[in-house]
Amino acid sequence: METLNPRVRLAWAIGAVVTAAFLGVGAAATDRFVLGVGLWIAVTVAGLALALGLVFVVLRYRVWRFAVRDDDLYLERGVLTRVNTVVPYVRVQHVDTQRGPVERALGLSSVVVYTAGSRGADVTVPGLTPERADDLQEQLRRLAIESEREIDAV
Amino acid sequence: MKLHPVSIPYRGLSRGASVGFMLFFVSQSLAGTDAIPFALVGPTAVAIAVLGVAAVVAWEVAYYRRFEYQLGDDGLELASGVLSRRNREIPLRRIQNVDISRNVVQRALGIAAVDVETAGGGTTEASLRFVGYDEAKRLQREIQRLKRGAGGSAAEGEDGEMTASDEGAAAEEELFALATEELLLLSALSFDFRYLSLLAFGPAAVPFVPGFAELAFVGGVMLVAVLLVGLWAISSAMTFARYYGFRLTRVDDELRYERGLLQRYDGSIPLAKVQTVTLTENVLMRRVGYATLAVETAGYAPGQTPSGGSEAAVPLATRERVLGLAREIEAFDLPTFERPPERARTRYAVRYGLVLAGLAGGLFSVRELVGFPGPDFLAFAPFAPLALLTLAPVAAHLKWRNRGYAVGEDHAVTRNGFWDRTIKVVPLYRVQTVIETRTPFQRRRRWRLANVVIDTASSAGSAALAADLDRETAAELRELVGEKLQASLAERRSEGTDSSPDGTQGNARRD
C-alpha cells in the first residue's frame, strides 16, 4: 500500500484555513446584523472550524492509502465514513492528471481515474509528486489498454 | 434521408403557438410600462405576434431543409442545425436503445419521434423529430440488423454466417403481454407521491373551518384523506395510460416493448447491453404473488424518461412469470440469500428506538416552549411516538429479514427493502467498481458492519447494495467480486477466440 506525499497535508490545511476564514466572516456578518453579541463569536467559530479542519486533515492523511494491484486500483479513504474502492483496469475510461494552484505551489499533483459507473464514476488520488502522478497515469493507461482488448465497457 | 414533410407544419404549429403566446403575454405585461418607446395596443401586438409566428415557421422550414440522416454500415450519421451546423456519427456498436414515441396527434398524422441512446453524455444522442412511423420501425430493425453484421465482420467471422440464415424479417417471439385484469390490478395498486404536485390546487377546494381545534383536526384528517384518494386516483389513471396495451417481445438478440394509451411508446433493448435486472415486489404484491421486472441499460440519463430510467419493464405479472422472463434475459438462479448478521437487526431496532425517542423529545420541547393549544386529549400527543416503540423490533426484524446478498457463478444478487422489496441481479462481467463503506456508526466495535456497493454503468435506479455485512465478510465480498469480474472477462475472451457452441446467447452477450 502506498501513502500520499506528506506535503498534501499542507495543501489540505490551506483549504481548512480558507473554509475557517469564510465561516468566521459569515459569523462576523451574522453578529453585526442580527446577534450583536461581540466579535468574539466570529473568532470562536473560525477557531473551532480551523481546529476541526486540522484534525480532519491529520486523520484523512493517516487513512488515505492506495495500491496498484494486478487487476485493479485499490483505494482506502474517508475520515468519518471509511470508503474502500476497487477500480478494475478494464473499466478505466480515461486517466487525467490535475494540478491546482495550491498543488502547483507545493509541487504536488493529482490523478483522476474515470469509469463508466453510475456511482463511483471518478476517483481522485491526491497528493502525489508530479513524477509519481505522471508515472501512475502512464501505468494505469497501459494497464487499461492491456486488459481491455476488444471487450466493450458498456 | 430527410425527415417526414409533415414535421414542418407540426413542429411549426406546436412551436409557433407557444412562441406566439409567449410574445403576446410579454407584450401585454409590458404594455402599461415605459419599457418600450411605442404603444403596444391592438394592431401592433398582433403584428408582433404574427412576426414571431412567421419567424418560427421560417426556422422550421430551414431546420427541415438542413436535417439529414443516413444509416450505413458504420453507423448513424446526422447532419443538422440551422445556425450552427453539426455533423454527428454514432457507431453502431455503441447504440444502446432505439425508442419510438407517438402522441395522439402524431399517431393521426402517421409520424413518430425516434430517440437513439448511447451510454455517453447526459442527453439523447440522436433525436429525429419527426419521421414517418414506418420509417421509424425500419430504422429500429435496420439498426439491429446492421449491428449484428458489424459485430460479425469486426470481431469474428462466425457471426456473419449466423445472421445470414435468418436474414430478412426476423421472427418476433412474444414474451409477455399485459392482460386487462393485470392492467386494472396494477392501476389499482399504484400509488406515486411524485404526482403530489398535480394536486397543488386540490386543498383550496377542501372545506376547512378555522377557529376550533377539533374542527381543524378533523379538517386536517379530511384534507389528508382527500389528498390520498386524489393521489391514488391520479396515480391509477397515469399507470393505466402508461401501461395500456403493454407487450414485450423478443426479436433475436433484442427485446422490444410497446405500451401507452395516449402516447404510444415502442422501444428496443439489445440483450447485449443489459446492465442490471431488477425485480420489485411491494408488500401487497408479495401477498398475491406478483412482481415487477425492470431491465436496465446504460442508455438513459437518470430521470430522463417518464418512468425514471428503465423503460423496459414488465409492470406486473405473477412471480414465476417474472422470474422466468428475467432468466430469459440473464441466465441466473435465484440463490438462497445470505442475511446480514443478527447484530444488524439489533442495530436497526436501536436506530428506530432512537428516532422515536428523538421525535418525542422534539415534540415535548416544542410543547414546553410554545405551549399546546387545544383540548386535553391532545396533551399527551408528544408521547405518541413512544407508543410505536413496541413496533421498532418488528420493523427491525422485517428490514433484516428482507436484506441479503449472494454471489453465484456469473451473477451477484442483492435484496433490500420491506415495503418495496427489490432484488437486483448484476452480471459479474458488468461490474464497474466495487465500493465498500463503513459509516462511523457501523464502525463501532459493537457492530463492526460494512456496506458493499456493486456498481454498474446502468443509468436507472440505484446500484446493487449488500448492506450491513460483517466487516470481514464485506472485505471478502469486495475482493471476490473483483476476482469474479476478471474471471468472467477472461472467459469471454477465450470464448471470442474459439467458436462457442451456444448460439444467440453467447453471441448476444459478447458485444
Side-chain angles (χ1 to χ4, degrees):
Chain A
M1 296 290 266
E2 224 172 300
T3 52
L4 305 181
N5 189 302
R7 263 181 312 202
V8 76
R9 283 178 294 187
L10 204 56
W12 287 338
I14 291 170
V17 169
V18 172
T19 313
F22 264 110
L23 284 175
V25 170
T30 318
D31 173 62
R32 171 82 176 69
F33 296 112
V34 188
L35 297 174
V37 287
L39 207 60
W40 58 269
I41 194 153
V43 177
T44 319
V45 166
L48 278 177
L50 186 61
L52 204 65
L54 292 180
V55 170
F56 262 66
V57 166
V58 171
L59 290 177
R60 192 183 306 156
Y61 176 73
R62 262 194 219 159
V63 174
W64 235 114
R65 55 198 63 219
F66 68 96
V68 182
R69 304 195 297 194
D70 287 345
D71 296 321
D72 45 46
L73 178 68
Y74 175 68
L75 312 106
E76 283 183 9
R77 61 203 195 280
V79 176
L80 289 178
T81 299
R82 291 281 156 80
V83 183
N84 303 348
T85 313
V86 176
V87 187
Y89 301 131
V90 223
R91 297 310 187 207
V92 173
Q93 299 276 329
H94 58 277
V95 188
D96 284 353
T97 54
Q98 262 181 14
R99 301 190 74 189
V102 177
E103 285 183 310
R104 275 209 301 274
L106 292 168
L108 288 174
S109 187
S110 317
V111 170
V112 191
V113 182
Y114 296 87
T115 69
S118 49
R119 246 183 135 181
D122 52 328
V123 180
T124 308
V125 185
L128 303 167
T129 59
E131 300 79 54
R132 179 68 188 117
D134 287 343
D135 279 357
L136 187 63
Q137 185 189 22
E138 185 55 32
Q139 199 179 358
L140 290 175
R141 202 180 61 82
R142 219 183 41 244
L143 286 166
I145 293 170
E146 222 168 75
S147 54
E148 174 152 37
R149 311 246 195 101
E150 74 248 32
I151 289 173
D152 250 4
V154 279
Chain B
M1 304 276 288
K2 286 281 196 193
L3 296 175
H4 198 282
V6 174
S7 63
I8 308 177
Y10 182 80
R11 285 175 60 100
L13 278 177
S14 58
R15 192 77 69 86
S18 58
V19 171
F21 269 116
M22 198 192 72
L23 283 179
F24 179 75
F25 281 116
V26 167
S27 58
Q28 284 300 305
S29 57
L30 286 179
T33 65
D34 323 327
I36 30 178
F38 50 89
L40 264 181
V41 279
T44 327
V46 171
I48 288 178
V50 167
L51 269 179
V53 171
V56 167
V57 170
W59 178 279
E60 293 306 338
V61 171
Y63 180 89
Y64 173 80
R65 290 172 61 100
R66 278 289 150 216
F67 202 104
E68 296 248 11
Y69 66 91
Q70 188 69 49
L71 182 63
D73 288 337
D74 300 328
L76 182 64
E77 282 173 56
L78 295 169
S80 66
V82 176
L83 292 179
S84 62
R85 306 271 161 84
R86 179 160 72 175
N87 295 325
R88 171 176 274 186
E89 185 175 342
I90 305 170
L92 281 171
R93 281 165 59 91
R94 298 290 179 213
I95 292 176
Q96 303 261 345
N97 310 56
V98 181
D99 291 330
I100 303 171
S101 74
R102 298 174 294 157
N103 65 25
V104 181
V105 180
Q106 290 160 6
R107 269 153 77 187
L109 292 171
I111 55 174
V114 179
D115 288 319
V116 178
E117 309 279 353
T118 66
T123 53
T124 300
E125 219 62 28
S127 81
L128 306 178
R129 299 261 181 299
F130 299 86
V131 295
Y133 181 58
D134 296 336
E135 170 64 6
K137 291 301 282 182
R138 187 193 71 87
L139 277 174
Q140 207 178 40
R141 272 197 314 272
E142 278 293 292
I143 285 174
Q144 180 190 14
R145 198 181 64 78
L146 288 170
K147 211 150 73 174
R148 270 182 301 158
S153 58
E156 66 245 74
E158 75 205 271
D159 254 4
E161 287 166 38
M162 255 219 34
T163 47
S165 59
D166 53 18
E167 195 114 337
E172 193 169 317
E173 175 199 352
E174 183 173 286
L175 295 178
F176 179 80
L178 193 66
T180 315
E181 52 271 30
E182 282 170 334
L183 176 62
L184 290 175
L185 182 63
L186 176 71
S187 308
L189 285 182
S190 62
F191 195 86
D192 195 335
F193 281 100
R194 278 176 296 182
Y195 296 123
L196 205 58
S197 54
L198 288 180
L199 280 173
F201 304 107
V206 174
F208 196 87
V209 186
F212 300 97
E214 285 94 339
L215 269 181
F217 183 70
V218 171
V221 169
M222 270 176 62
L223 179 74
V224 168
V226 167
L227 269 179
L228 289 180
V229 170
L231 205 56
W232 176 74
I234 290 176
S235 305
S236 300
M238 290 286 196
T239 310
F240 186 84
R242 181 184 295 165
Y243 289 113
Y244 179 84
F246 180 90
R247 255 177 101 236
L248 184 72
T249 55
R250 179 175 179 163
V251 184
D252 283 325
D253 51 0
E254 272 195 2
L255 295 176
R256 297 266 171 81
Y257 67 86
E258 283 170 43
R259 61 174 181 80
L261 177 67
L262 300 175
Q263 181 133 13
R264 200 82 189 133
Y265 291 91
D266 196 324
S268 72
I269 309 105
L271 285 172
K273 300 291 188 189
V274 170
Q275 298 279 343
T276 312
V277 177
T278 308
L279 266 94
T280 316
E281 324 152 81
N282 65 29
V283 188
L284 289 174
M285 284 151 82
R286 283 209 295 279
R287 279 258 159 269
V288 287
Y290 276 85
T292 293
L293 178 74
V295 180
E296 294 165 14
T297 66
Y300 303 102
Q304 187 185 336
T305 52
S307 56
S310 170
E311 280 290 345
V314 170
L316 188 76
T318 56
R319 196 162 194 274
E320 286 71 52
R321 194 91 194 273
V322 163
L323 270 176
L325 285 170
R327 284 205 192 96
E328 182 114 6
I329 296 159
E330 275 296 330
F332 69 99
D333 291 316
L334 205 58
T336 43
F337 286 96
E338 192 80 39
R339 295 213 175 95
E342 283 179 8
R343 59 180 188 277
R345 182 170 52 183
T346 321
R347 188 179 154 232
Y348 301 148
V350 171
R351 190 204 283 167
Y352 291 144
L354 287 177
V355 167
L356 288 173
L359 197 61
L363 285 173
F364 182 74
S365 37
V366 165
R367 196 191 70 174
E368 288 302 294
L369 287 174
V370 190
F372 198 86
D376 289 341
F377 73 91
L378 284 177
F380 291 102
F383 303 105
L386 296 181
L388 293 173
L389 269 182
T390 47
L391 289 180
V394 182
H397 177 73
L398 289 173
K399 187 187 183 82
W400 173 81
R401 227 184 103 77
N402 286 296
R403 276 203 158 148
Y405 80 98
V407 179
E409 199 60 35
D410 299 313
H411 300 88
V413 190
T414 63
R415 183 178 67 182
N416 281 295
F418 164 72
W419 297 106
D420 261 311
R421 188 163 78 184
T422 306
I423 298 175
K424 287 205 172 260
V425 181
V426 181
L428 284 166
Y429 68 94
R430 284 299 186 200
V431 172
Q432 289 279 340
T433 53
V434 189
I435 307 161
E436 177 204 353
T437 59
R438 284 173 287 147
T439 64
F441 304 108
Q442 286 178 320
R443 261 165 47 210
R444 287 184 56 193
R445 190 166 303 153
R446 174 134 183 242
W447 307 124
R448 286 178 58 79
L449 297 167
N451 287 354
V452 176
V453 173
I454 304 168
D455 192 24
T456 65
S458 161
S459 52
S462 50
L465 165 74
D468 284 318
L469 309 182
D470 180 75
R471 205 180 134 178
E472 275 75 37
T473 321
E476 276 164 30
L477 177 65
R478 179 192 77 213
E479 295 303 311
L480 179 69
V481 171
E483 282 160 27
K484 290 252 182 187
L485 165 70
Q486 299 300 335
S488 62
L489 289 174
E491 197 179 311
R492 280 165 169 276
R493 265 181 218 130
S494 65
E495 240 175 66
T497 47
D498 54 59
S499 55
S500 60
D502 64 324
T504 47
Q505 195 74 313
N507 279 319
R509 302 246 230 90
R510 186 168 308 131
D511 195 26

